[in-house]
Amino acid sequence: MSQTFDCTDHEQRSRAIISAAAAVKNGGLVVLPTDTVYGLGADAFNSTAVAALLAAKGRGRDMPVPVLVGSWYTIDGLAMTVTTSMRNLVRAFWPGALSLVVRQAPSVQWDLGDARGTVMLRMPLHPVAIELLREVGPMAVSSANISGRPPAVDVGQARQQLGDLVDVYLDGGPAAEQSASTILDLTSPEPRILRAGPVSAERIAEVLGVDAESLAG
């Protein structure tokens, strides 16, 4: 039976983080609020848990699961190379609605799907998500919905779709952006936007010192 916690209530929030962290560490699934949409999360380093996440969504390995982090500095251990451009983007937009696709460090042992040596990283702008991530470390997190259906922007929508496949639901109220993050691919010499979102091409181009049109996917 799933548990749901109202994280807008201070007393429940403390218990919520403890329960969610325990579920993640035990290989379970957790729905958590982020600034963009609600996420379905698992321990990024537990391949069985990640497989359960994909199964819950009805999603194949051809769509690997992104990773959320709770600190800027976590990227140093996950990315093969942290370039000046990447560092500038992180400083400008994290925590926030920009996801970065990078080459993963060879030493990282996880199975997020058929990622071909890459990983999509983001630090969300939500206190509940950050608190959980700092408790458990990097999490594999995809949008909290059945594949092909609209992403959940509140905990009720997530629960309606995922039901008791999830161990703990963290209710942080409606998602602020109610739109999936902007995805920027940094794996090639020329950065390119793979998905438009709350962070505009113009803002990214300003940080990178390039023309916004050059970022078109």
Side-chain angles (χ1 to χ4, degrees), residues 10-199:
H10 179 72
E11 290 187 7
Q12 279 201 51
R13 179 164 156 176
S14 298
R15 290 189 289 113
I17 298 299
I18 291 171
S19 296
V24 171
K25 290 173 183 178
N26 287 328
L29 301 181
V30 171
V31 161
L32 63 153
T34 81
D35 47 326
T36 54
V37 296
Y38 269 69
L40 174 63
D43 179 355
F45 297 97
N46 185 328
S47 58
T48 302
V50 174
L53 186 159
L54 288 169
K57 285 179 61 75
R59 180 168 168 172
R61 287 179 51 83
D62 59 316
M63 298 180 70
V65 186
V67 171
L68 294 189
V69 298
S71 165
W72 286 2
Y73 307 107
T74 308
I75 64 172
D76 292 314
L78 302 180
M80 179 182 293
T81 304
V82 180
T83 64
T84 299
S85 293
M86 183 178 175
R87 191 83 67 188
N88 290 341
L89 289 164
V90 165
R91 290 194 183 107
F93 299 114
W94 283 13
L98 179 66
S99 295
L100 301 175
V101 180
V102 300
R103 297 286 175 191
Q104 74 172 49
S107 59
V108 175
Q109 299 296 313
W110 57 25
D111 182 3
L112 304 170
D114 296 330
R116 299 178 182 177
T118 68
V119 61
M120 186 162 76
L121 302 172
R122 186 169 84 88
M123 180 181 178
L125 181 58
H126 198 290
V128 173
I130 292 295
E131 193 171 347
L132 178 59
L133 288 163
R134 289 181 175 172
E135 183 68 28
V136 302
M139 289 181 64
V141 180
S142 183
S143 55
N145 60 287
I146 301 298
S147 188
R149 298 187 192 176
V153 296
D154 62 45
V155 79
Q157 292 178 6
R159 188 170 188 109
Q160 185 177 29
Q161 295 190 54
L162 298 168
D164 284 337
L165 295 174
V166 173
D167 296 281
V168 176
Y169 287 86
L170 301 179
D171 183 358
E177 295 287 355
Q178 304 208 355
S179 174
S181 65
T182 302
I183 300 176
L184 181 67
D185 185 356
L186 297 177
T187 62
S188 300
E190 300 299 325
R192 62 192 179 99
I193 292 175
L194 302 182
R195 180 177 71 196
V199 179

